[in-house]
Amino acid sequence: MENRRCWLFGATRRRTLRCNGPGLALLALAAELARSGLHQAIEGGDRGSVRTVWTHFTASQLRRRHMNDHQGLSRRHVLGMAIAAGGFALASPARSVFAQALNRTPGEILGPFYPVLRSVEKTADLTTVPGKPGRAAGQVIYVMGRVLNVQGQPVKGARVELWQANTHGRYVHPSDANPAPLDPNFEGFAIQDADAEGRYRFKTIKPGAYPVNANWMRPPHLHFEVTGKLNRVITQMYFPGESLNDKDLLLQNIRANKDGLIAKVLPPTSDVEPDSRLVVWDIVLDKG
């Protein structure tokens, strides 16, 4: 029997299956089942590093070991093919293959303006500065969501740090040379711990866009560092419908789960300011 091969190319950026010979639909199914576990195995690290791996398997060997005929496969056989195709070990098949329903949040760079001067007090309200009577200028938003693992389980007590530019697009940072004005009532940093259900909630203002150079304007975004018990992610959250999103070099460089960085904006509820907005965004860690 002719020995035909299928090649599985996997990466955080791209995955394709190239095959020839019979039984391709079954092999493609096995590769699809392997994808979530393979993604976890190859991506490694919590900074969203991109590493390309490839593995190959022999179609004739898989058919001999996992198929009685070309008409049907048992669930056990399909799982066996998935393991062979993905090249990873399953500690728990149900957890690693069938239950991995969420894509983890992509990592992004820390950025040049991580706060160096900030209050050590944990707070969830960025619209005021302790000891000052004023309120930060700009559109009030309530940023909220949950910290979860890829299985959808809450990450209890995850530390959530947020920092951002003010409504004019300037950071409270000595290295920010943007000529836009500072806001005396806005420091742009807050930190809190997620509750038992993984929930977090900040009150802040929508940041402004700002220039990186003559050819690049960064869209409004929030920076996050989230630390769970096992994993940490440094990332950025973006607002939907912003024209600058499509031109942003950092956002457009994301190849896996780019949509996972875009929040949902909803009308205010009765318990918040009527002109505010709710910004809903879940953060997904690998294991939590």
Side-chain angles (χ1 to χ4, degrees), residues 218-253:
R218 292 235 60 206
H221 61 279
L222 304 177
H223 295 264
F224 281 84
E225 180 174 2
V226 180
T227 305
K229 294 179 175 60
L230 300 173
N231 306 120
R232 179 179 67 163
V233 64
I234 295 172
T235 190
Q236 298 178 33
M237 185 218 81
Y238 299 83
F239 295 81
E242 298 287 338
S243 60
L244 290 174
N245 286 352
D246 297 333
K247 304 174 184 178
D248 187 63
L249 299 183
L250 292 181
L251 179 58
Q252 294 307 313
N253 191 50

Side-chain angles (χ1 to χ4, degrees), residues 9-16 35 38-45 47-53 103-107 253-258:
F9 293 80
T12 57
R13 291 175 177 266
R14 181 177 300 167
R15 283 184 290 272
T16 59
R35 183 171 61 179
L38 178 62
H39 174 81
Q40 179 179 345
I42 66 175
E43 200 168 17
R47 299 295 180 95
S49 59
V50 178
R51 303 171 185 171
T52 304
V53 302
N103 293 317
R104 74 180 186 180
T105 300
N253 191 50
I254 300 295
R255 293 293 178 264
N257 193 26
K258 183 189 303 182

Side-chain angles (χ1 to χ4, degrees), residues 255-274:
R255 293 293 178 264
N257 193 26
K258 183 189 303 182
D259 290 343
L261 297 179
I262 310 295
K264 296 179 181 179
V265 178
L266 303 176
T269 52
S270 59
D271 60 328
V272 300
E273 294 90 334

Side-chain angles (χ1 to χ4, degrees), residues 135-154:
R135 199 212 78 177
Q139 169 76 63
V140 174
I141 58 175
Y142 289 84
V143 183
M144 63 188 71
R146 301 178 72 196
V147 182
L148 308 167
N149 63 20
V150 293
Q151 296 172 350
Q153 300 166 333

